[in-house]
């Protein structure tokens, strides 16, 4: 039996569930047990566990032959929800390495920065991302083994980068896969980079044990089976994709990736393929609702509907409940630092009971063995109904920020009074414990915002703006918000001396991912400052309202 | 009574023009020239139009064109173009 979830009090860390094995071991088992079943529907076709296994083994073998497999190694994957990108993830894990997902839509400088910061010595590139690999590899000084499973031969530009080695389709024989050794729960599973308030992305290495703790909870909670069919809507750089891939594949189920155009409104895709598990950011459901694509009874086959990544408005949850009448709905919450999701709130089945929920659906209680406490500013526990900062503890919490002991010391520290032996993370999220609902998410204590579920530190946007504008005075804010309270984009402010708006935005596009690039720029004649001489954001906001 | 083919064609042209103008404004705000974007350009390939941007364009044209967007008339899976969007306005 699972231990009772702990919220608001400190628990005994020995209550945590036993960790399962590694993702690599789980993949091996599923690939053997479910060989002839469909593992993946992607690029317009079905892929069996056997085919996925062969492709992953080819990549794992190449890493082993090159001496780049095993704990302490990191293999980056540059791809966008393609068969080769998924095989790259699986191959890295079979090799016992951690994978580092890279998004081909991100600017070359940012990709190169991630490759260098991750100290990745191998890179899997899918066919659609080959062109996007050229510039970051050109900027990368350390040698990288570049695996291009879809390409018959290395790209011509590869010859201009002799310090990197390229292996293509026919070179990937998988012969080295036999020499691979099983990993351990302390090995890295994946390294993700999120927006950083100091102006550069920060990395989080999530260990096998962290993921195993989450997947064990999720498997007990949702009981997926081989007949289930999961949505796959998240980019691999979004850690919610880890839930999709490994909860699904651990159960021998099938993962369905809608084509890019359908990803923002996959109504027909879900209906045609009779999917049973839905997982998305609430923005996707909000978009479908606003386009009148959420109609009562639309999704009769869904048995689970999960939302995570940003606040879930009750209005959207009500529409979804009507559209998916046979589905249980849960609102999940969790920062990357606490591995995918660490609290959950299950919505009642009765529409009248959903209507009585707060405007923003609660984030509920911690998953089994995990802890959540709300603390006052002085570090003492907040009473029920009192606002405070949310701290998360347990086996899902990562060790810290990658190669950043300063930031780690600041954020990964135990609250006073907690039992030794538990890893803690200070979220910066404001929360309140509400009787009957568990935790309510109340916003941020700092300037972090969510755009389409993506975490954005506005200071990082401002650093890019200052660089682009060549001046000290630059500001960014999330604006406007839509009727559900979602930030629709980022607006920038620069002084009149800055280069033309197009020039500023073009420079931002060269360093920031698309969702962090401001949608418009305001030029300010007289920069507003408060009594302390700092930027007066309230006055800037009034300029656009 | 069914509208005659010429009237329908004219109305579709109007919607297409309104969509093109709304998209150009959207791109202009982001400092991106709209020149070269045609009826068959996949808007997602532009890399700057997300679901929110698409929604803004659709709602603007619904208001200015006086017609309702019917999302069931568009196949999102084969890409999103101005031509397809125009065809989904009832």
């Amino acid at each position: 039996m699972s231990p009772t979830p702990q919220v608001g009090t400190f628990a005994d860390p020995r209550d945590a569930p036993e960790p399962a094995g590694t993702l690599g071991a789980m993949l091996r088992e599923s690939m053997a047990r479910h060989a002839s079943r469909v593992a993946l529907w992607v690029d317009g076709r079905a892929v069996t566990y056997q085919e996925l296994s062969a492709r992953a083994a080819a990549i794992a073998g190449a890493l082993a032959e090159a001496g780049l497999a095993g704990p302490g190694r990191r293999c980056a994957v540059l791809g966008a929800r393609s068969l080769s990108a998924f095989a790259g993830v699986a191959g890295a894990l079979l090799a016992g390495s951690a994978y580092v997902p890279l998004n081909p839509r991100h600017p070359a400088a940012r990709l190169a920065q991630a490759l260098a910061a991750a100290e990745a010595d191998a890179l899997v590139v899918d066919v659609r991302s080959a062109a996007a690999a050229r510039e970051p590899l050109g900027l990368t000084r350390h040698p990288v083994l570049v695996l291009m499973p879809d390409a018959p031969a290395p790209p011509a530009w590869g010859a201009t980068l002799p310090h990197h080695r390229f292996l293509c389709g026919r070179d990937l024989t998988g012969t080295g896969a036999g020499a691979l050794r099983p990993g351990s729960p302390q090995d890295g599973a994946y390294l993700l980079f999120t927006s950083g308030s100091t102006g550069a992305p920060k990395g989080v290495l999530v260990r096998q044990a962290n993921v195993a703790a989450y997947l064990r909870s999720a498997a007990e909670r949702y009981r997926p089976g081989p007949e289930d069919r999961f949505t796959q809507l998240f980019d691999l750089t979004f850690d919610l994709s880890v839930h999709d891939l490994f909860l699904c594949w651990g159960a021998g189920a099938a993962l369905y990736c809608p084509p890019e155009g359908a990803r923002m409104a996959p109504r027909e895709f879900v209906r045609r393929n009779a999917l049973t598990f839905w997982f998305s950011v609430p923005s996707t459901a909000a978009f479908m609702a606003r386009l009148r694509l959420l109609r009562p009874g639309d999704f009769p086959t869904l048995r689970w509907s999960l939302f995570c990544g940003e606040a879930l408005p009750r209005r959207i949850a009500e529409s979804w409940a009507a559209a998916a009448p046979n589905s249980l709905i849960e609102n999940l919450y969790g920062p990357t630092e606490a591995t995918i999701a660490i609290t959950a709130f299950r919505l009642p089945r009765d529409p009248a009971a959903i209507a009585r929920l707060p405007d923003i659906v609660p984030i509920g209680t911690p998953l089994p063995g995990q802890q959540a406490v709300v603390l006052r500013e002085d570090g003492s526990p907040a009473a029920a109904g009192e606002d405070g900062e949310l701290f998360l503890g347990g086996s899902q919490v990562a060790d810290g920020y990658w190669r950043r002991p300063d930031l780690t010391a600041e954020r990964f520290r135990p609250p006073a009074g907690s039992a030794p032996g538990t890893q803690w993370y200070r979220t910066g999220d404001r929360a309140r414990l509400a009787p009957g609902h568990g935790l309510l998410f109340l916003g941020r204590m700092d300037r972090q915002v969510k755009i389409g579920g993506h975490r954005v530190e506005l200071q990082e946007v401002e650093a890019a703006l200052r660089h682009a504008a060549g001046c000290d005075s630059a500001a960014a804010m999330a604006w406007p918000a839509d009727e559900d309270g979602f930030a629709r984009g980022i607006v920038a402010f620069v002084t009149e001396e800055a280069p033309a708006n197009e020039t500023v935005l073009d420079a931002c596009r060269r360093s920031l991912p698309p969702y962090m690039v401001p949608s418009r720029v305001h030029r300010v004649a007289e920069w507003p400052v408060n009594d302390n001489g700092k930027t007066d954001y309230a006055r800037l906001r009034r300029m656009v309202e | 009574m069914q509208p005659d083919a010429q009237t329908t064609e004219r109305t579709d042209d109007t919607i297409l023009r309104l969509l093109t103008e709304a998209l150009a404004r959207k791109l202009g705000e982001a400092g991106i020239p709209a020149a070269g974007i045609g009826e068959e350009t996949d808007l997602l390939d532009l890399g700057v139009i997300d679901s929110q941007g698409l929604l803004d364009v659709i709602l603007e044209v619904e208001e200015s064109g006086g017609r309702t967007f019917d999302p069931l008339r568009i196949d999102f899976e084969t890409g999103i173009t101005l031509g397809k969007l125009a065809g989904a306005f009832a």
Side-chain angles (χ1 to χ4, degrees):
Chain A
M1 200 177 88
S2 298
T4 307
Q6 297 294 316
V7 57
T9 58
F10 296 116
D12 187 333
R14 289 170 299 185
D15 287 342
E18 284 298 310
T22 62
L23 292 177
M26 181 264 273
L27 280 173
R28 267 192 202 90
E29 191 183 328
S30 271
M31 287 166 169
R33 184 186 294 178
H34 305 289
S36 61
R37 296 191 67 87
V38 172
L40 189 58
W41 195 96
V42 66
D43 301 336
R45 72 180 183 94
V47 177
T48 63
Y49 277 88
Q50 190 168 28
E51 181 180 350
L52 180 63
S53 171
R55 287 174 177 268
I59 289 166
L63 294 174
E65 282 172 354
L68 301 177
R73 297 286 186 181
R74 282 160 300 283
C75 174
V77 179
L78 180 66
R81 301 186 319 120
S82 65
L83 174 53
S84 286
F86 291 121
V89 168
L93 292 167
L94 289 180
S97 305
Y99 74 92
V100 186
L102 302 177
N103 192 323
R105 287 198 296 271
H106 290 187
R110 197 175 183 90
L111 296 176
Q113 191 179 28
L115 263 179
E119 301 155 22
D121 38 28
L123 172 68
V124 178
V125 183
D126 74 5
V127 66
R128 289 195 293 266
S129 308
R134 179 179 184 168
E135 200 178 335
L137 281 170
L139 294 168
T140 302
R141 294 184 183 277
H142 72 275
V144 175
L145 175 68
V146 184
L147 306 177
M148 306 180 93
D150 305 307
W157 52 262
T160 65
L161 305 172
H163 58 304
H164 301 317
R165 185 175 155 223
F166 291 77
L167 291 178
C168 298
R170 63 170 175 267
D171 305 322
L172 303 175
T173 58
T175 50
L180 295 170
R181 295 192 185 91
S184 89
Q186 287 315 304
D187 297 342
Y190 57 88
L191 173 59
L192 283 188
F193 287 91
T194 68
S195 180
S197 59
T198 55
K202 55 182 187 270
V204 181
L205 180 72
V206 174
R207 297 196 182 279
Q208 297 281 356
N210 302 136
V211 193
Y214 172 77
L215 289 176
R216 185 183 163 96
S217 284
E220 284 184 6
R221 197 171 182 88
Y222 308 124
R223 303 272 173 192
E227 300 301 325
D228 277 311
R229 292 172 296 281
F230 284 62
T231 55
Q232 209 288 298
L233 302 172
F234 299 108
D235 284 328
L236 293 173
T237 42
F238 204 156
D239 69 340
L240 302 183
S241 66
V242 178
H243 164 108
D244 291 339
L245 270 62
F246 298 105
L247 189 65
C248 174
W249 289 340
L255 189 63
Y256 279 74
C257 304
E260 195 58 30
R263 189 153 65 127
M264 60 174 74
R267 176 183 181 274
E268 289 309 308
F269 187 83
V270 170
R271 287 166 60 85
R272 189 174 60 251
N273 294 297
L275 302 191
T276 58
F277 271 70
W278 170 276
F279 193 21
S280 79
V281 289
S283 289
T284 304
F287 176 72
M288 292 167 74
R290 293 197 72 189
L291 270 189
R292 300 176 287 274
L293 279 173
L294 275 191
R295 303 174 185 203
D298 261 356
F299 305 127
T301 59
L302 288 178
R303 65 186 195 90
W304 284 102
S305 300
L306 310 179
F307 295 97
C308 192
E310 59 193 346
L312 173 62
R314 186 196 62 229
R315 200 177 62 80
I316 298 301
E318 288 177 294
S319 299
W320 193 272
N326 303 315
S327 175
L328 282 167
I329 303 174
E330 284 198 346
N331 185 33
L332 307 182
Y333 159 86
T336 299
E337 291 85 342
T339 311
I340 307 170
I342 192 166
T343 75
F345 177 82
R346 185 168 299 177
L347 278 78
R349 274 198 180 272
D350 177 13
I354 297 178
R356 288 194 294 273
L357 291 175
D359 288 346
I360 297 298
V361 174
I363 57 174
T365 53
L367 298 178
Q370 311 304 317
Q371 299 181 62
V373 294
V374 180
L375 300 182
R376 298 186 185 113
E377 209 171 323
D378 65 4
S380 62
E386 189 181 354
D387 296 4
E389 184 175 1
L390 183 59
F391 283 65
L392 302 169
S395 51
Q396 285 184 215
V397 177
D399 293 349
Y401 290 114
W402 177 249
R403 307 289 195 237
R404 289 300 304 268
D406 53 337
L407 277 181
T408 300
E410 185 186 319
R411 309 301 299 194
F412 289 80
R413 58 186 174 88
S418 60
T422 297
Q423 180 72 358
W424 284 90
Y425 172 63
R426 177 181 189 174
T427 64
D429 287 337
R430 286 193 307 115
R432 181 192 309 151
L433 183 58
H437 295 317
L439 294 160
L440 303 181
F441 173 77
L442 303 173
R444 289 289 300 174
M445 322 239 350
D446 54 20
R447 299 189 58 227
Q448 186 188 106
V449 298
K450 289 287 184 93
I451 305 289
H454 296 284
R455 185 162 138 177
V456 175
E457 301 282 0
L458 289 170
Q459 295 97 317
E460 187 178 355
V461 181
E462 289 174 350
L465 280 169
R466 280 194 292 273
H467 183 72
C471 63
D472 290 335
S473 298
M477 66 173 64
W479 189 88
D482 66 16
E483 61 189 23
D484 293 312
F486 293 119
R488 288 169 50 179
I490 294 171
V491 62
F493 299 85
V494 296
T495 58
E496 286 192 327
E497 292 73 38
N501 291 359
E502 291 77 8
T503 307
V504 171
L505 291 172
D506 204 39
C508 287
R509 273 191 283 276
R510 287 197 296 272
S511 64
L512 298 173
Y515 56 85
M516 289 176 69
V517 176
S519 56
R520 64 179 70 171
V521 178
H522 284 267
R523 304 177 79 81
V524 180
E526 194 174 333
W527 197 257
V529 291
N530 59 24
D531 292 344
N532 300 321
K534 293 182 176 177
T535 295
D536 187 335
Y537 286 96
R539 282 171 61 193
L540 286 176
R541 183 171 291 277
R542 284 198 290 276
M543 292 179 189
V544 293
E545 282 175 346
Chain B
M1 196 175 84
Q2 295 292 318
D4 64 65
Q6 205 175 16
T7 308
T8 307
E9 195 177 316
R10 256 202 319 272
T11 319
D12 286 350
D13 284 348
T14 305
I15 293 295
L16 187 59
R17 180 177 54 77
L18 291 172
L19 280 167
T20 306
E21 288 169 2
L23 179 69
R25 266 193 298 279
K26 195 88 196 153
L27 295 176
E29 285 170 2
I32 296 170
I37 295 173
E39 199 174 330
E40 299 306 318
T41 306
D42 193 325
L43 302 186
L44 297 182
D45 286 347
L46 298 175
V48 292
I49 294 290
D50 57 8
S51 59
Q52 189 57 57
L54 187 62
L55 196 59
D56 289 344
V57 168
I58 291 169
L59 296 179
E60 183 179 329
V61 174
E62 274 193 339
E63 193 174 325
S64 58
R67 287 169 66 185
T68 306
F69 180 76
D70 180 0
L72 298 183
R73 292 172 62 173
I74 187 168
D75 179 4
F76 286 97
E77 293 184 30
T78 53
I80 300 168
T81 65
L82 287 176
K84 283 178 160 189
L85 289 175
F89 277 85

